[in-house]
Amino acid sequence: MAITTDTTRYLDVANNDVVAVSGTSAQSNAFAGPEIQLVSTTDCWLKFGTNPTAVANTDGNQYFPAGAIWTIQWKAGDKVAVIQNAAGGYLVCTSVEM
């Protein structure tokens, strides 16, 4: 008997979340995971958790540059909060399915 593993992954773009980035912290929807992909149109700060609030230039928040693409492991039910560094834009959060 041969053992095979299917490592096919795809972005669930039908259920992505586009979050407006401004000077006020905004949260994404909760995602099930196991991974999500993040892309931003502007430099911003991120905070992760069940009810996060992003604060620019503060410990416990992660700087995220415009145009970067991160695919990260995700805890089911968590959200990402985002706040601008200097200018508004959008953060796109997409579930990565296996």
Side-chain angles (χ1 to χ4, degrees), residues 23-48:
T24 302
S25 180
Q27 288 183 358
S28 71
N29 294 324
F31 285 92
E35 295 179 347
I36 65 165
Q37 182 183 82
L38 302 173
V39 180
S40 179
T41 63
T42 188
D43 296 343
C44 55
W45 293 82
L46 306 177
K47 178 97 179 200
F48 304 94

Side-chain angles (χ1 to χ4, degrees), residues 4-83:
T4 62
T5 52
D6 183 0
T7 57
T8 303
R9 298 168 39 189
Y10 65 93
L11 295 176
D12 185 8
V13 295
N15 295 307
N16 69 355
D17 190 13
V18 179
V19 182
V21 179
S22 69
T24 302
S25 180
Q27 288 183 358
S28 71
N29 294 324
F31 285 92
E35 295 179 347
I36 65 165
Q37 182 183 82
L38 302 173
V39 180
S40 179
T41 63
T42 188
D43 296 343
C44 55
W45 293 82
L46 306 177
K47 178 97 179 200
F48 304 94
T50 56
N51 188 25
T53 300
V55 180
N57 301 308
T58 302
D59 289 346
N61 291 260
Q62 177 65 49
Y63 177 75
F64 188 56
I69 299 173
W70 285 355
T71 302
I72 59 175
Q73 291 186 344
W74 198 251
K75 182 178 171 187
D78 272 3
K79 301 174 184 179
V80 58
V82 60
I83 194 167

